């Protein structure tokens, strides 16, 4: 399934479990039409499990999204030991790029699966009270996953949100399963963000229904929904909205940021949910993902943080225990028992504090900005003094640097540089002063050539780095 319309052609929801590596290409052994697929609350649970399997595939949040966010930024180096993500790293981008095809196809597969769960709930037969609780919990997560998937797609295939860009073409808004051969079109970036916020609001609404309990941190739980809202509103420069949502996420998580080298190492080298995790793509110690592992990309396939980035960490920073330490791969060194796997972070507590810091600074609340920044920076660097951080408008450069260092190898940097309008060096210095905010990845040629209405971004290649 390489485009939206091949997904729609099946007209079916896969209930069976298939292997992670073959999910998009394997013919399902058990598949039934939608109108027969949701007769019990267990059917919704089965469908939701399939949705999470799709979301966590290597072709989406299981590798590609996080790899793209750093490979295409000023953080990355690549030895060219393999070709994996090397063309992304060097900006040798074509509209036939495999990673872009996988992100687009798997992202829309997740959106389609979520939409089928939501649509079924709107026309389903009456359930008992206990069954309704299960269905509502599934629907809440379906809305949340659809919002999350749409967020990543619009930020790779559309320009960063701004007053100037919100009328430009983004992605296709999908609010219901797309019928086979249906003609649809790309919405604007502004319309995409409106839909994402609408889905977040619906996720909160369903989580708030009577009897619906929260879910674990390997699912889009209540804190994760608020964390997504905080990220989306920060990208939209709705700073007051970001403050409210980030504070909600922090309160719901009720966690703590670690401050010792030993605890920091355990964040990434253990599969136990940490005090910082809000939502992770969970792995098993017995998984062997080989070439499809983000850990393998960083451990054996040539990608790493570049030396200039490592040099930005103070010598007293506990993060160097991983990033500049003895383990190849940094945060993606894998767990001690298996270097091919680790839980992959999507939302973490430090991001929320740094979101608060940025939003407070942008609204001239510099004391609050400093306090939020220190929640992360002072815990990671015990030598940092409060007096090292200014309490005025210049604090924003400290916040931006801390965000870059704290979220390295977690797929944020490309998107952050775009929304902040930073001119960066990419390809480990091959291209300098690249205005990444003007660049947008092409819609995969297979989608455009399918002929169902999705058009290519005009002159997307004009803004490649030179």
């Amino acid at each position: 399934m390489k485009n939206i319309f091949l997904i729609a052609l099946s007209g079916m929801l896969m209930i069976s479990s298939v292997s992670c590596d073959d999910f998009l290409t394997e013919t399902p052994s058990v598949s039934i039409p939608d109108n027969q697929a949701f007769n019990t609350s267990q059917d919704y649970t089965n469908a939701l499990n399939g949705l999470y399997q799709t979301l966590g595939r290597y072709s989406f949040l299981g590798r590609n999204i996080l790899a793209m966010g750093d490979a295409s930024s000023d953080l990355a180096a690549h030895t060219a030991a393999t070709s994996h993500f090397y063309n992304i790293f060097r900006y040798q981008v074509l509209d036939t790029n495999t990673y872009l095809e996988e992100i687009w196809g798997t992202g829309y597969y997740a959106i389609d699966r979520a939409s089928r769960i939501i649509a079924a709930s709107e026309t389903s037969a009456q359930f008992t009270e206990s069954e309704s609780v299960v269905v509502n919990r599934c629907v809440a997560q379906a809305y949340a996953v659809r919002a999350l998937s749409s967020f990543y797609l619009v930020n790779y295939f559309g320009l960063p949100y701004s007053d100037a860009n919100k009328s430009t073409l983004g992605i296709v808004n999908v609010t219901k399963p797309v019928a086979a051969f249906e003609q649809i079109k790309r919405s604007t970036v502004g319309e995409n963000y409106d839909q994402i916020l609408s889905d977040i609001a619906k996720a909160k609404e369903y989580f708030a229904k009577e009897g619906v309990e929260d879910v674990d941190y390997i699912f889009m739980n209540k804190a994760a929904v608020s964390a997504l809202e905080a990220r989306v509103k920060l990208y939209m420069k709705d700073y007051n909205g970001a403050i409210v949502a980030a504070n909600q996420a922090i309160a719901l998580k009720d966690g703590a940021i670690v401050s010792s080298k030993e605890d920091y190492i355990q964040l990434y080298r253990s599969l136990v949910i940490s005090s910082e995790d809000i939502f992770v793509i969970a792995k098993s110690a017995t998984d062997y993902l080989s070439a499809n592992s983000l850990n393998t990309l960083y451990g054996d396939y040539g990608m790493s943080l570049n030396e200039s980035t490592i040099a930005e960490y103070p010598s007293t920073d506990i993060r160097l225990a991983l990033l500049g330490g003895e383990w190849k791969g940094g945060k993606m060194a894998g767990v001690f028992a298996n270097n091919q796997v680790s839980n992959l972070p999507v939302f973490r507590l430090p991001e929320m504090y740094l979101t608060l810091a940025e939003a407070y600074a942008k609204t001239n609340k510099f004391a609050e900005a400093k306090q939020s920044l220190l929640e992360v920076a002072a815990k990671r660097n015990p030598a940092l003094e409060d007096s090292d951080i200014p309490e005025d408008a210049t604090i924003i450069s400290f916040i931006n640097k801390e965000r870059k260092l704290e979220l390295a190898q977690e797929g944020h940097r490309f998107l952050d540089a775009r929304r902040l309008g930073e001119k960066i060096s990419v390809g480990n210095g091959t291209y300098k002063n690249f205005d990444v905010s003007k660049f947008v990845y092409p819609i995969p040629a297979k989608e455009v050539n399918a002929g169902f209405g999705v058009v290519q971004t005009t002159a997307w290649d004009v803004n490649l780095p030179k």
Side-chain angles (χ1 to χ4, degrees), residues 217 249-257 274-277 349 353 379:
Y217 297 112
I250 291 167
L252 288 164
K253 169 59 182 175
D254 192 24
I257 296 176
S274 77
S275 64
E276 296 188 4
D277 291 326
L349 201 54
Y353 280 110
K379 300 243 176 102

Side-chain angles (χ1 to χ4, degrees), residues 144-176:
V145 170
R146 190 168 75 179
L148 179 64
S149 302
S150 298
F151 170 81
Y152 282 116
L153 290 179
V154 70
N155 275 285
Y156 279 105
F157 297 104
L159 289 168
Y161 186 96
S162 68
D163 287 340
N165 290 341
K166 64 184 181 182
S167 61
T168 62
L169 285 180
I171 60 169
V172 179
N173 270 345
V174 175
T175 57
K176 61 182 180 179

Side-chain angles (χ1 to χ4, degrees), residues 11 207 227 253 268 300 338 463:
F207 264 131
K253 169 59 182 175
Y268 297 95
D300 297 310
N338 182 352
N463 291 308

Side-chain angles (χ1 to χ4, degrees), residues 29-145:
S29 59
V30 181
S31 57
I32 56 178
D34 283 359
N35 60 7
Q36 300 174 29
F38 294 96
N39 292 323
T40 70
S41 60
Q42 185 61 49
D43 293 334
Y44 283 85
T45 299
N46 293 342
L48 188 69
N49 289 339
L51 172 57
Y52 278 113
Q53 186 183 51
T54 301
L55 188 72
R57 276 183 54 79
Y58 74 87
S59 50
F60 205 62
L61 278 174
R63 185 193 65 183
N64 285 10
I65 289 289
L66 275 65
M68 288 278 293
D70 283 316
S72 56
S73 79
D74 53 349
L75 301 185
H78 204 305
T79 65
T82 71
S83 62
H84 291 259
F85 283 88
Y86 188 72
N87 51 8
I88 296 296
F89 167 73
R90 290 300 300 265
Y91 277 84
Q92 297 167 346
V93 180
L94 299 173
D95 59 4
T96 54
N97 181 275
T98 299
Y99 302 121
L100 297 178
E101 289 177 355
E102 289 174 341
I103 288 172
W104 179 272
T106 311
Y108 271 111
Y109 200 3
I111 289 170
D112 178 75
R113 284 190 147 210
S115 297
R116 291 178 189 277
I117 293 170
I118 293 165
S121 73
E122 294 170 347
T123 59
S124 62
Q126 292 295 315
F127 288 111
T128 66
E129 183 176 339
S130 61
E131 288 176 328
S132 294
V133 168
V134 173
V135 171
N136 289 336
R137 186 168 61 237
C138 291
V139 172
Q141 293 171 78
Y143 274 116
V145 170

Side-chain angles (χ1 to χ4, degrees), residues 206-396:
Y206 273 83
F207 264 131
K209 288 182 180 290
E210 185 175 357
V212 176
E213 297 180 352
D214 207 353
V215 293
D216 292 336
Y217 297 112
I218 64 173
F219 306 108
M220 280 295 289
N221 56 82
K222 293 179 181 180
V225 174
S226 290
L228 174 58
E229 182 179 18
R231 188 187 291 179
V232 169
K233 289 189 173 179
L234 185 72
Y235 276 49
M236 296 178 73
K237 298 181 173 59
D238 176 3
Y239 298 119
N240 289 323
I243 289 168
V244 171
N247 275 319
Q248 287 175 345
I250 291 167
L252 288 164
K253 169 59 182 175
D254 192 24
I257 296 176
V258 305
S259 57
S260 73
K261 290 182 180 180
E262 295 75 18
D263 288 341
Y264 185 77
I265 290 169
Q266 287 299 312
L267 292 178
Y268 297 95
R269 303 221 65 187
S270 169
L271 296 178
V272 176
I273 296 297
S274 77
S275 64
E276 296 188 4
D277 291 326
I278 295 177
F279 172 52
V280 301
I281 301 299
K283 299 296 180 182
S284 165
T286 58
D287 287 342
Y288 286 92
L289 306 178
S290 189
N292 295 330
S293 167
L294 186 63
N295 309 82
T296 301
L297 176 64
Y298 277 102
D300 297 310
Y301 282 1
M303 204 163 101
S304 65
L305 289 182
N306 56 36
E307 292 182 1
S308 61
T309 298
I310 296 296
E312 291 189 53
Y313 292 89
S315 61
T316 51
D317 198 306
I318 67 171
R319 291 171 291 204
L320 289 175
L322 268 182
L323 302 179
E326 61 187 278
W327 293 297
K328 182 171 62 173
K331 291 179 180 178
M332 298 303 154
V335 298
F336 290 107
N338 182 352
N339 64 7
Q340 291 186 10
V341 301
S342 59
N343 289 338
L344 302 181
V346 181
F347 294 107
R348 291 192 303 114
L349 201 54
E351 180 194 349
M352 294 299 100
Y353 280 110
L354 294 173
T355 293
L356 284 179
E358 182 177 340
Y360 280 133
K362 292 292 188 178
T363 52
N364 299 322
K365 297 175 181 176
F366 301 119
E368 292 90 339
K370 179 174 179 177
Q371 180 181 1
S372 299
L373 173 60
L374 288 170
E375 282 288 340
V376 181
K379 300 243 176 102
R380 300 311 198 207
N381 178 16
L384 182 67
E385 300 286 347
D386 287 7
S387 58
D388 295 336
I389 305 297
E391 202 169 301
D392 56 37
T394 63
I395 194 176
I396 195 65

